[in-house]
Structures are given as structure tokens and as C-alpha cells.
Amino acid sequence: MRDLLLNICPTAIWTIIICESIIAVLLLRQWKKNKQTLALLTFFVSAGLILDAVIIGLGSVIQQEVLRTISPARFIAHGVLIPFLFPICGYALDLKKPVMRAIWILTALLMAAGAAQAFSTVLEPREIAGVVRYTAREDTPEWADMISKLLSFGTVIPMMIVGVIIWRRQKTPSLFLSGFLMFVFSALGPATGNIDLIFFISMFGELFMVLFLYLYAKRR
């Protein structure tokens, strides 16, 4: 399995970018069609994931100096846009305005924390499968690392819980599958002894996450 992942890594990354870009266009069309907030928020999440994947993909073709300059944008996009998954869950549940207001306040706080951790993360280059990417160095503050992990797993688990509720109420598993597949692919790296390939394996989870979010938004 590892040899296969190493062989397909650069090509697969750009394939995922193309697929996510198609989904992003479909989400934008969905929003323009009926002004659906859920679709617009999912578009923003998708745009952040695309930016992240593009910068990683460029790590196999551009100079390291340029890569070092643009790499912080990955962490900023992740920290600022991933919290949108909370209001996405709120709109899926059709929560009332006071509750949604509270969720948006929480989201704003998480976005601020995400931006802070992005600017505080100390980066260093790493290379695998011909792809150079900048990752968090060991001397990155613990609080920044903690916030990064919170944004990664602290958003997906609530999605799965909400997804189960939506599945029961609205008879569609799309939201659950969105969170579940993201969680599974994030865990596959450590589970298979490929911790250094988490960034690549989790991209498949990100693709499935936005795909099933789009399918859910289209159904509403």
C-alpha cells in the first residue's frame, strides 16, 4: 500500500484538486440558484481545502523559496475556514436564530484562534514522494498545535453526531458520510503506519467530505 501511495502521490494530489474544484463550482451554482447559506459556507470550506492542496501540489514543481513564502496561506486558510463546519451543521439542523447566533459567535472565536495559531506556527520543509511541503516544526507553541488538532478533529466529530440526527430526521446519510469519511481517512495514516503520509491520505477524506456536503446541500 505504501509503495502505491508514494508512486501516485503527485498525480493524485492534482487529480483531487481538479475534483474539488468541480465540486466548488457546483456549490457556487447551488448558492446562486437558491441563495442557500449552507452551500455557500461549504464552498468556502472547499476553497480553503483547494488552496491547501494546490500549495502542497506546487511543492513538486516550484522553487523552495517561493514555496516557503506561500506556505503560511495553507495554515491561515485551514484555521479561518474550517470552523464554518459548525454553522453548516447548525443550518442542517434548522436551528432557531438565537442558537445560530451563539454558533456564529463560537465560529468567530474559533476563526480568530485558527488565525492566531496559523501565524504562530513555525514552519520547516519536509519532502516525501517528490513533494516538498512546509509543516509545523517541533518548537511550534503547544497551544497552536492544540488548536490545529481541535480544528481538525473537533469539527469532524460533531459533524458525525449531527449527521446521525439528520439521517434519522431527513432520511439522508450524506452529512454523516461527509464527517465519517473525513474521520476515517484522517485515521488511516496512523492506523497503517504511514504517519508521514497523513497529509496525502487525508486529502481523499477532504474530497469525500465536500462531495457529500454538496450532495446534502443539493437535496435540501
Side-chain angles (χ1 to χ4, degrees):
M1 175 182 175
R2 182 176 176 82
D3 288 341
L4 173 63
L5 290 173
L6 292 173
N7 288 333
I8 68 171
C9 185
T11 304
I13 287 174
W14 287 106
T15 303
I16 289 171
I17 290 169
I18 293 170
C19 293
E20 287 184 344
S21 298
I22 293 171
I23 295 170
V25 171
L26 293 174
L27 284 164
L28 200 55
R29 286 183 178 176
Q30 177 74 10
W31 175 71
K32 287 182 177 179
K33 181 180 178 182
N34 55 18
K35 302 303 177 185
Q36 186 187 64
T37 305
L38 191 147
L40 182 62
L41 293 177
T42 304
F43 167 78
F44 287 137
V45 171
S46 180
L49 296 175
I50 292 168
L51 175 63
D52 178 75
V54 166
I55 293 175
I56 291 176
L58 289 174
S60 62
V61 295
I62 65 175
Q63 295 181 345
Q64 194 172 124
E65 240 181 75
V66 179
L67 185 64
R68 181 169 56 245
T69 302
I70 64 175
S71 286
R74 285 181 52 217
F75 296 84
I76 296 170
H78 181 271
V80 173
L81 296 176
I82 292 301
F84 280 144
L85 291 173
F86 282 109
I88 285 173
C89 290
Y91 285 115
L93 288 170
D94 293 318
L95 297 177
K96 294 182 179 180
K97 285 186 178 180
V99 181
M100 284 305 304
R101 194 176 297 118
I103 289 176
W104 272 111
I105 291 172
L106 172 63
T107 300
L109 292 173
L110 287 173
M111 291 171 71
Q117 68 86 23
F119 286 111
S120 300
T121 299
V122 184
L123 301 179
E124 66 176 355
R126 292 184 185 175
E127 188 274 334
I128 189 168
V131 176
V132 179
R133 78 192 198 285
Y134 277 78
T135 63
R137 214 163 65 187
E138 285 186 7
D139 55 343
T140 294
E142 283 188 23
W143 66 266
D145 187 54
M146 183 179 67
I147 290 174
S148 178
K149 290 177 180 175
L150 172 66
L151 291 177
S152 296
F153 292 98
T155 50
V156 173
I157 293 174
M159 276 186 68
M160 289 193 290
I161 295 172
V162 171
V164 171
I165 298 171
I166 294 298
W167 196 346
R168 290 170 61 92
R169 288 183 183 176
Q170 303 174 15
K171 309 304 179 186
T172 173
S174 294
L175 193 64
F176 170 75
L177 290 173
S178 177
F180 176 71
L181 290 173
M182 182 68 247
F183 181 83
V184 167
F185 279 95
S186 296
L188 268 180
T192 59
N194 292 294
I195 295 178
D196 55 343
L197 287 172
I198 289 177
F199 80 96
F200 174 47
I201 298 173
S202 64
M203 282 185 182
F204 292 94
E206 293 167 355
L207 174 60
F208 282 119
M209 181 177 74
V210 294
L211 171 63
F212 280 102
L213 280 175
Y214 164 68
L215 293 176
Y216 177 73
K218 188 177 180 182
R219 183 183 186 278
R220 281 178 65 87

